[in-house]
Amino acid sequence: MSEEMRVTVERLGHRGDGIAEGPIYVPGILPSEVVEGVVDNGVMASPRIVTPVEDRVSPPCRHAKSCGGCQLQHASDAFVEGWKSDVVARALAAQGLETEQRPCTTSPAQSRRRAGFSSRRTKKGALAGFHAKASDVLIAVPDCKLVRPRLAAALPLAEALAVAGTSRKAELTVQMTDSEAGLDVSVTGGKIIDDDFRVTLAGIAQEYDVARLAWDEEVLTLRPPFQTFGSAQVVPPPGAFLQATQEGEAKLLACVTEALNGAKHMLDLFAGCGTFALPLARLGRVHAVEGSKEMVLALDKGWRMAEGLRHVTHEARDLFRNPLLPDELTRFDGVVIDPPRAGAEAQVTQLAKARIPRIAFVSCNPVTFARDAKILTSAGYRLDWVQTVDQFRWSTHVELVAQLTLAKS
């Protein structure tokens, strides 16, 4: 049943939509704004703003209304930073945790160095960009204010790959990363590769000056796509995880280094390709553990080619099914842990038993972080501070890093 209504938005939901009493969901509206419009099944899809708030701003990107890549371009930076800090505070409070919350830091516009574009063939050629909000419709975003200019300028490459490698019924996912040697491109969802298509891909890679092009399992490398971690240069596997912005990575690393101050034998859990392990190796010995064998090998090669680093050991291990146990953990005096969104309950439970003096905890999900932090505080750790780090500007994604130290008995 549809009804014309006037409502006042009370808060933002986890997807960035305004929520009024009811609940009534109002996309693109900020808390305390008064809106009116037709409500259908609890959603006011096309609200008219009656009373705006001071934190409302004009979206800096001309694609903001149609593109689903950003959710909060209509809000001031101060509002978004405060809201993300509040998300962290609420997650902590739900577990009965309190601590110092440092002000949120936000990566600048046009700083995202990796992005997953979608690309589809059309009658006249191809279209590449992001999906529209809550839709499978593709929106071209040639003036995207989120990604680095090199990525925004590479949309014609994604279109060329779609023309060459997919039908009009299919859609490519084109993961692009800006490396120090040029674009690092990983494609999934396309046709099966054969000899003729390999030649075609090589021509596209040369035409668009691609450093590396991976088509599913097939990899064509023209130049190694290096990323720098501390003093080490690492070539990640195609499509491997990388922190979204250099600025965000630098802030996380600074906080991790602070949290592990004084540690001489450190453990890096969910180590990836060495984002933290390799810079920390300037300060002490490091043992890096990561589930992907390919990422561990990339980390090891980067360490061996670098100068001035202490000893870095490594192992490929599934920390969800096979967490490190207390007898394996007690030789370390500091640990950094950076799990995926699900958190690391099994591994954190073992950390709590091992009682390593200092823990730097990096998380992309405040809810699972708070759950895991509660395990540690219940075992005698003190949550000293939490730093919110916004690498995903204008989105609802929230990241943080925290310091936990073993309380003296």
Side-chain angles (χ1 to χ4, degrees):
M1 180 178 177
S2 300
E3 181 182 359
E4 179 80 20
M5 297 182 68
R6 175 177 288 197
V7 300
T8 300
V9 168
E10 298 175 344
R11 58 189 174 89
L12 289 190
H14 68 280
R15 294 182 179 179
D17 287 346
I19 302 177
E21 185 178 358
I24 296 172
Y25 294 88
V26 193
I29 302 301
L30 299 176
S32 299
E33 290 190 315
V34 179
V35 296
E36 57 185 19
V38 176
V39 176
D40 188 9
N41 292 323
V43 178
M44 185 183 290
S46 301
R48 300 182 297 276
I49 300 175
V50 177
T51 308
V53 294
E54 289 185 359
D55 280 309
R56 173 165 291 280
V57 299
S58 297
C61 179
R62 67 184 178 93
H63 308 299
K65 288 186 177 180
S66 56
C67 176
C70 298
Q71 297 85 46
L72 295 170
Q73 285 202 16
H74 58 287
S76 69
D77 286 351
F79 173 86
V80 176
E81 290 175 355
W83 178 73
K84 292 193 175 189
S85 294
D86 287 344
V87 169
V88 174
R90 290 195 299 270
L92 294 175
Q95 295 289 345
L97 298 173
E98 294 183 357
T99 190
E100 173 195 350
Q101 272 198 259
R102 297 177 173 180
C104 176
T105 63
T106 304
S107 294
Q110 295 183 301
S111 64
R112 284 279 298 275
R113 61 181 171 183
R114 62 180 176 88
F117 295 109
S118 295
S119 188
R120 219 182 256 162
R121 285 182 61 182
T122 65
K123 289 182 179 180
K124 296 182 179 181
L127 178 66
F130 295 126
H131 287 112
K133 300 179 189 298
S135 172
D136 61 356
V137 174
L138 271 184
I139 303 296
V141 288
D143 299 319
C144 179
K145 302 301 182 185
L146 186 65
V147 301
R148 286 182 177 178
R150 180 184 278 178
L151 294 185
L155 288 171
L157 164 62
E159 294 172 352
L161 291 169
V163 170
T166 190
S167 69
R168 286 180 56 191
K169 295 182 179 180
E171 182 175 292
L172 290 184
T173 297
V174 184
Q175 180 75 42
M176 294 189 188
T177 301
D178 190 8
S179 80
E180 295 180 27
L183 288 176
D184 186 10
V185 183
S186 180
V187 183
T188 56
K191 71 180 186 181
I192 297 174
I193 202 165
D194 58 24
D195 288 342
D196 289 340
F197 191 44
R198 288 186 184 93
V199 174
T200 300
L201 288 178
I204 292 173
Q206 290 182 330
E207 179 182 355
Y208 290 92
D209 195 30
V210 174
R212 179 172 65 183
L213 176 59
W215 190 276
D216 291 326
E217 301 301 319
E218 191 89 6
V219 180
L220 172 66
T221 301
L222 302 183
R223 301 179 299 278
F226 289 108
Q227 299 290 340
T228 298
F229 302 138
S231 62
Q233 287 191 316
V234 176
V235 180
F241 174 79
L242 183 72
Q243 295 293 341
T245 71
Q246 280 189 317
E247 294 84 356
E249 180 182 291
K251 183 63 178 179
L252 292 175
L253 176 60
C255 290
V256 166
T257 303
E258 177 186 349
L260 298 185
N261 180 43
K264 297 302 180 183
H265 194 186
M266 292 164 279
L267 174 65
D268 186 356
L269 298 172
F270 303 95
C273 293
T275 301
F276 302 123
L278 294 170
L280 288 173
R282 280 196 170 277
L283 307 175
R285 291 178 295 161
V286 180
H287 182 61
V289 185
E290 163 59 43
S292 165
K293 183 178 180 180
E294 292 75 16
M295 294 176 78
V296 164
L297 292 175
L299 182 158
D300 182 62
K301 186 176 181 180
W303 169 68
R304 292 180 184 279
M305 295 177 64
E307 297 181 354
L309 301 185
R310 305 284 181 86
H311 196 55
V312 177
T313 55
H314 60 82
E315 64 178 298
R317 181 164 174 169
D318 185 339
L319 293 172
F320 295 104
R321 298 182 179 181
N322 186 24
L324 272 71
L325 300 177
D327 62 341
E328 300 173 278
L329 294 167
T330 51
R331 61 192 173 106
F332 302 104
D333 57 356
V335 57
V336 53
I337 182 169
D338 183 13
R341 289 188 60 79
E345 187 173 9
Q347 183 60 80
V348 168
T349 298
Q350 301 305 319
L351 285 175
K353 296 176 182 177
R355 300 177 68 79
I356 296 174
R358 307 184 72 86
I359 298 176
F361 204 128
V362 182
S363 174
C364 58
N365 185 340
V367 173
T368 58
F369 164 75
R371 178 202 67 198
D372 292 347
K374 182 65 175 180
I375 295 172
L376 293 168
T377 57
S378 297
Y381 282 86
R382 180 178 62 245
L383 180 59
D384 297 311
W385 48 259
V386 172
Q387 169 73 64
T388 305
V389 179
D390 187 4
Q391 295 194 80
F392 294 85
R393 188 182 184 94
W394 300 315
S395 83
T396 57
H397 188 79
V398 182
E399 293 187 300
L400 62 88
V401 57
Q403 173 181 298
L404 296 105
T405 51
L406 194 60
K408 295 180 181 179
S409 55

